[in-house]
Amino acid sequence: MPPAKDKSWSPYLAGALTGLLIIITTWFSGIYFGASTSFVRAAGYIARIFSPEYVSSNTYFQWFPPVIDWQFIFVLGIFIGSFVASITSRSFKLQAVPDMWKSRFGPGALKRGLVAFAGGLIAIFGARMAGGCPSGFGLGALVQLGLSGLIAFICFFIGGITVAKLLYHGDNDK
């Protein structure tokens, strides 16, 4: 059976449509894209099941109450949109661990899990310390043609490329 034809979206078209969506959303609602607060709200939502008095007395959860809001729906939409895109491009496959991740951190689930957990912890800690999602800041500032947004995105790319080179050195073939 011949391989399926690649029906993935052009990254240029997807980027242009995302930019257009950001501009339209900001223009009509005055709200900039961001997602990190939804994870904090979800954590509070789950914590409220086990200890509602702790959540109600916690100052942090008073600033970011555990509610389902537009950001939560936004993150859900990202998940659904990614799923639909992978199905329509015929690139969807169930895979517990990406091949490149497994080749770098080995077949053992414990090491991979610890590295992934540590990375997620650092990312969410940084996002909360910064008062929100750095990519949301960068996109919001770029929509306003802010130099700070351009500088932020340049730094994101430099940081991302540097970390990828450190983690995946020599794995260019995958």
Side-chain angles (χ1 to χ4, degrees):
M1 184 169 160
K5 184 180 176 196
D6 182 20
K7 294 184 177 184
S8 60
W9 285 34
S10 159
Y12 305 108
L13 174 63
L17 289 174
T18 301
L20 186 61
L21 179 62
I22 292 168
I23 291 169
I24 291 169
T25 302
T26 304
W27 189 353
F28 286 107
S29 70
I31 297 173
Y32 300 99
F33 274 19
S36 63
T37 305
S38 63
F39 295 103
V40 174
R41 292 183 194 273
Y45 206 74
I46 293 167
R48 194 166 56 186
I49 294 169
F50 300 103
S51 181
E53 58 280 347
Y54 170 76
V55 173
S56 64
S57 66
N58 187 299
T59 305
Y60 192 78
F61 288 127
Q62 290 172 4
W63 290 339
F64 302 103
V67 296
I68 295 177
D69 63 348
W70 72 270
Q71 280 188 342
F72 191 86
I73 302 302
F74 177 66
V75 170
L76 184 62
I78 291 171
F79 174 77
I80 293 169
S82 300
F83 179 72
V84 169
S86 70
I87 295 294
T88 59
S89 70
R90 297 183 181 168
S91 62
F92 178 80
K93 65 178 178 177
L94 289 176
Q95 183 176 11
V97 180
D99 295 331
M100 185 183 282
W101 186 256
K102 186 184 275 187
S103 73
R104 178 64 179 115
F105 295 104
L110 181 63
K111 182 179 178 185
R112 290 192 323 263
L114 288 174
V115 170
F117 182 78
L121 196 62
I122 291 168
I124 198 67
F125 181 75
R128 294 294 67 198
M129 290 299 293
C133 179
S135 59
F137 161 75
L139 291 171
L142 278 178
V143 167
Q144 300 175 66
L145 301 177
L147 180 60
S148 61
L150 181 60
I151 292 169
F153 263 98
I154 290 170
C155 291
F156 296 159
F157 275 96
I158 290 170
I161 290 168
T162 302
V163 170
K165 290 283 187 187
L166 288 171
L167 287 179
Y168 299 114
H169 56 85
D171 289 341
N172 295 333
D173 59 336
K174 294 185 179 153

